[in-house]
Amino acid sequence: MHSAHVKTFIKLIFGLICLAILASHVMTMLRWSEARGVYDDVCYLRQAHLFQRFGLNGFDTDAAGDDDRYFVGKLKQIAFPEPNNLERWPCHIHKSGGKLILQYPPGTGFLLALFPEGFQVAPLYIASSIIVCGFALLGVLMAPTLFSGMGAGLFGALAVYLMINPAKASYSIAPTVALCAVVGFLTARWLTEAKRSILLIALIGLLIGVSVNLRLPNLLLAAGYCLFLATAFMHSRTLATFLHGLAFGAGALVGMAPTLIAQAVNAGSPFATTYGANDARPPAIDVAVLGEYLRDTQLFLIGVAVVWTGLSLRVSDRAARQSALIVAGNLVVNLGFFMSHPIFTQYYVVPIAMLSMWTLSFAWLMPWRELPEIVSIQGKALAR
């Protein structure tokens, strides 16, 4: 069989595999219960209920807004002890003035509010999975060689599979991972442009800012970009590199505006956290926490991302090398934060692992274009 036919056949097979995994996931998701006994679940659903009931006034998450006893009913569904005792409600903290407010940023609740009450989680996960599958198929389609087609197919199948395990661990993870696929694609596109677009880096910043509305720690996903852009500016001191950094920062700020608004409404200031003291403990190395990562699926994802980054750093004159510089900075900051976090969960490092792999994957798949001098300077500066 001709090599071109083999490549097409391999792409078709992996495309069908990704679609088969998606179809299987959709059938499973349609049978999910929205009362599985997890406190975070009902808290995200309460935020969704507030948006559906009050519109933009749903930013105010004070327990006083539960006069229809929606949250009490949700707590009873999961057999929560003393559901009528506001002092014991999960996912809330006391604030000055006697307010009892929801901790979480508003993004996940807003997305859930787009779907009818009682059938919100499944469509959120299905929509997120379709986005991930779409980018997986795009990667397979873009692959220029048989080897790259197999690599893109294997990664795409893995990315779609992960939309249930471990993504189901938190409602915020599914849309976060979908955004990581989009940002990874755009990052690779930005790095392979002959003249890097300010609008494109602004869009990347905007989407990372939007992800903060899903999970506050997603702010750390911007770390590698900040290091990359700052180093390029410090080396070249040109208006172009300054404007790229400014565009990224402005985009991120606009993207996270809903969270800043929610914090202003609930905590009294856009920069005052709604999280309690237990969530703001200083970092510390805990052998027990590190042991949990060693036994978890996340270790595999971290390992693949780290090895892939190392291999990409050895490549010269390709977008893969510069993407690896961004990814390396992101990995160092994010892994350093979560590995020293006093609490372990099954999804903490999933966003950085997936963003890293999506970025590296598309950087390898996209054609490299001749770079202008300004871009070459950035690459040389960051390679030192």
Side-chain angles (χ1 to χ4, degrees):
M1 185 181 294
H2 195 275
S3 59
H5 294 157
V6 173
K7 183 176 69 173
T8 301
F9 178 74
I10 291 296
K11 288 185 175 183
L12 177 61
I13 292 298
F14 276 111
L16 292 175
I17 290 174
C18 291
L19 290 172
I21 296 173
L22 174 64
S24 175
H25 278 7
V26 169
M27 296 303 295
T28 300
M29 292 168 181
L30 288 173
R31 296 193 294 268
W32 280 355
S33 168
E34 295 189 352
R36 58 175 177 164
V38 178
Y39 296 165
D40 282 4
D41 294 0
V42 294
C43 295
Y44 284 127
L45 289 170
R46 180 184 179 238
Q47 175 72 84
H49 178 71
L50 291 175
F51 278 129
Q52 289 182 329
R53 187 181 179 201
F54 300 116
L56 293 180
N57 289 330
F59 277 111
D60 185 350
T61 62
D62 187 3
D66 198 54
D67 56 313
D68 63 347
R69 299 180 63 80
Y70 170 85
F71 196 54
V72 171
K74 285 294 181 183
L75 293 177
K76 288 180 178 179
Q77 287 180 9
I78 64 172
F80 184 81
E82 300 183 55
N84 292 295
N85 184 355
L86 273 63
E87 303 295 323
R88 295 200 58 187
W89 277 9
C91 317
H92 297 75
I93 59 172
H94 288 285
K95 300 296 293 184
S96 60
K99 292 183 69 176
L100 195 64
I101 62 174
L102 195 68
Q103 290 179 341
Y104 303 93
T108 303
F110 175 80
L111 292 178
L112 289 166
L114 299 177
F115 305 104
E117 193 168 292
F119 185 66
Q120 295 170 293
V121 177
L124 174 64
Y125 270 78
I126 290 171
S128 300
S129 298
I130 290 173
I131 293 173
V132 169
C133 187
F135 278 92
L137 295 175
L138 177 61
V140 172
L141 184 64
M142 290 173 56
T145 66
L146 176 61
F147 177 77
S148 62
M150 294 178 64
L154 287 171
F155 171 64
L158 173 66
V160 179
Y161 172 78
L162 293 174
M163 292 307 294
I164 282 185
N165 181 24
K168 191 184 179 184
S170 172
Y171 292 167
S172 65
I173 292 298
T176 292
V177 172
L179 272 176
C180 285
V182 180
V183 173
F185 172 81
L186 294 177
T187 300
R189 179 66 181 272
W190 178 65
L191 289 170
T192 55
E193 285 187 333
K195 184 178 181 181
R196 291 181 181 168
S197 167
I198 291 180
L199 292 178
L200 191 52
I201 190 62
L203 178 58
I204 292 169
L206 176 70
L207 293 178
I208 291 179
V210 167
S211 75
V212 176
N213 302 312
L214 304 172
R215 298 179 65 244
L216 287 183
N218 284 345
L219 180 62
L220 297 175
L221 298 178
Y225 296 88
C226 292
L227 291 172
F228 182 90
L229 293 165
T231 303
F233 174 70
M234 292 299 293
H235 181 267
S236 66
R237 300 296 179 92
T238 63
L239 179 61
T241 54
F242 173 77
L243 291 177
H244 276 76
L246 181 63
F248 177 83
L253 185 63
V254 171
M256 68 177 75
T259 292
L260 299 178
I261 293 171
Q263 291 182 166
V265 170
N266 294 297
S269 168
F271 307 105
T273 179
T274 56
Y275 281 78
N278 289 335
D279 301 287
R281 284 181 285 178
I285 300 299
D286 189 321
V287 175
V289 172
L290 293 177
E292 291 290 345
Y293 280 104
L294 291 175
R295 296 187 292 268
D296 192 73
T297 305
Q298 293 175 100
L299 178 64
F300 169 74
L301 299 178
I302 295 170
V304 172
V306 169
V307 171
W308 199 343
T309 301
L311 293 173
S312 298
L313 284 171
R314 296 178 63 86
V315 177
S316 300
D317 300 325
R318 293 196 60 176
R321 179 174 175 78
Q322 293 198 7
S323 68
L325 292 169
I326 295 177
V327 169
N330 250 345
L331 284 171
V332 169
V333 173
N334 281 264
L335 296 182
F337 175 82
F338 287 113
M339 294 296 187
S340 63
H341 201 65
I343 303 172
F344 165 84
T345 73
Q346 296 82 5
Y347 58 85
Y348 271 165
V349 301
V350 170
I352 183 56
M354 297 311 298
L355 175 58
S356 299
M357 290 189 284
W358 278 115
T359 302
L360 294 171
S361 176
F362 279 117
W364 277 92
L365 295 172
M366 288 184 180
W368 180 255
R369 301 179 179 89
E370 186 67 27
L371 296 179
E373 182 180 356
I374 180 60
V375 178
S376 299
I377 290 175
Q378 290 182 12
K380 291 176 181 177
L382 290 165
R384 291 178 179 176

